[in-house]
Amino acid sequence: MKYKLEWKYKLKGTEGTIFTSDWLDGELALQIGEDLERSGKTSEVIYHDERGTTWITKEMKKLLEEIEEDPHDLTIYFDGGFNKKTFQAGLGAVIYFKQGKKKYRIRSNELFDEIENNSEAEYAAMYYTVNMLEEMGVHHMTCEFKGDAQGVLMQLKGEWPCYEENLNRWLDRIEEKLKSLKVDAKFTPIPRTENKEADKLATQALEGKVINSKMQII
């Protein structure tokens, strides 16, 4: 979750001027806000999150303490591969996130049966990543989903229609799960060259290589 600071700077003999910051990580926003208040020349420091909720410094500090041990600042890459002979899909997901003061990466894949085509494999991969978030205990967080399946992402954004009944059922499942987790989802299409990790995991699943790892990023 990103936060934007808003504060009033008081110069002697003036009513004050309102300033706003760029979008910042929570810890940095709080550090700047507390520093501004210590200066004695500012008042009414407000923190705005990406959902439109506002906080004062005391509330912001408590909020960050509460979410510190929960997975946050999540970026998720997904990809689906398809075997035409077996009608199986390889699903791959890579999740980058913070927990406490540390950064982590989870890599996981799965072999999925009874898939009709490559398009459906991409929807199944997206649903697979959302279920992973549920298993991680993610809720009330902003999550950015990245993949080269432009159709899936643009349809989830509501910018493209979906005319296939089977794919619409996948979309419904994905949206219902995101809603139940109260996740603020952002969908970002990327080129295949930027999705190599998830693509490799999907391929490995089709080859029978099961991957499920978590590592700290130094």
Side-chain angles (χ1 to χ4, degrees):
M1 181 77 74
K2 297 289 185 180
Y3 301 86
K4 182 178 288 188
L5 277 167
E6 180 182 294
W7 70 94
K8 179 181 285 187
Y9 180 81
K10 287 188 176 182
L11 193 62
K12 190 174 181 179
T14 69
E15 294 183 359
T17 304
I18 300 295
F19 290 88
T20 58
S21 72
D22 293 329
W23 289 105
L24 307 167
D25 288 334
E27 291 182 5
L28 179 57
L30 180 61
Q31 289 174 6
I32 293 173
E34 290 179 327
D35 191 58
L36 286 168
E37 290 183 336
R38 283 194 295 268
S39 72
K41 292 186 177 180
T42 63
S43 65
E44 302 175 22
V45 177
I46 301 295
Y47 305 79
H48 301 266
D49 69 20
E50 293 171 294
R51 296 176 176 175
T53 307
T54 59
W55 319 81
I56 60 174
T57 297
K58 183 179 179 180
E59 294 169 335
M60 183 68 178
K61 189 172 183 178
K62 183 178 180 181
L63 172 69
L64 294 181
E65 289 173 351
E66 289 176 350
I67 68 172
E68 185 176 3
E69 296 306 318
D70 291 333
H72 55 278
D73 290 353
L74 297 109
T75 302
I76 303 104
Y77 295 83
F78 73 98
D79 197 23
F82 180 64
N83 187 322
K84 295 180 181 179
K85 295 180 179 180
T86 64
F87 290 92
Q88 290 178 313
L91 316 179
V94 185
I95 301 177
Y96 291 90
F97 65 98
K98 293 180 182 178
Q99 195 163 10
K101 305 292 183 182
K102 299 176 181 178
K103 296 181 180 180
Y104 295 94
R105 181 191 68 182
I106 289 177
R107 298 169 65 246
S108 185
N109 66 1
E110 183 175 288
L111 187 65
F112 198 86
D113 294 316
E114 299 181 7
I115 292 293
E116 293 181 0
N117 51 48
N118 189 69
S119 293
E120 186 180 2
E122 298 285 10
Y123 289 82
M126 178 66 183
Y127 186 63
Y128 174 62
T129 63
V130 176
N131 278 304
M132 286 179 62
L133 296 180
E134 184 176 37
E135 292 173 5
M136 291 168 61
V138 174
H139 57 89
H140 295 84
M141 292 291 171
T142 297
C143 300
E144 184 175 15
F145 294 89
K146 294 185 176 184
D148 55 82
Q150 190 175 20
V152 178
L153 296 171
M154 296 302 285
Q155 285 164 5
L156 285 167
K157 289 175 74 173
E159 295 185 11
W160 287 9
C162 180
Y163 299 109
E164 297 181 47
E165 185 178 343
N166 185 35
L167 300 184
N168 262 316
R169 285 197 293 268
W170 281 106
L171 287 173
D172 289 342
R173 295 186 194 116
I174 294 165
E175 290 172 343
E176 286 172 9
K177 184 68 70 175
L178 291 172
K179 185 178 180 179
S180 70
L181 298 177
K182 295 181 171 56
V183 162
D184 181 15
K186 299 183 183 300
F187 306 106
T188 306
I190 58 175
R192 291 193 64 82
T193 54
E194 295 179 20
N195 202 31
K196 291 181 178 180
E197 279 189 296
D199 176 68
K200 183 178 181 180
L201 287 165
T203 300
Q204 288 174 318
L206 289 171
E207 295 170 347
K209 300 175 183 177
V210 178
I211 309 293
N212 192 350
S213 68
K214 176 181 177 180
M215 66 172 289
Q216 183 180 345
I217 300 174
I218 307 299

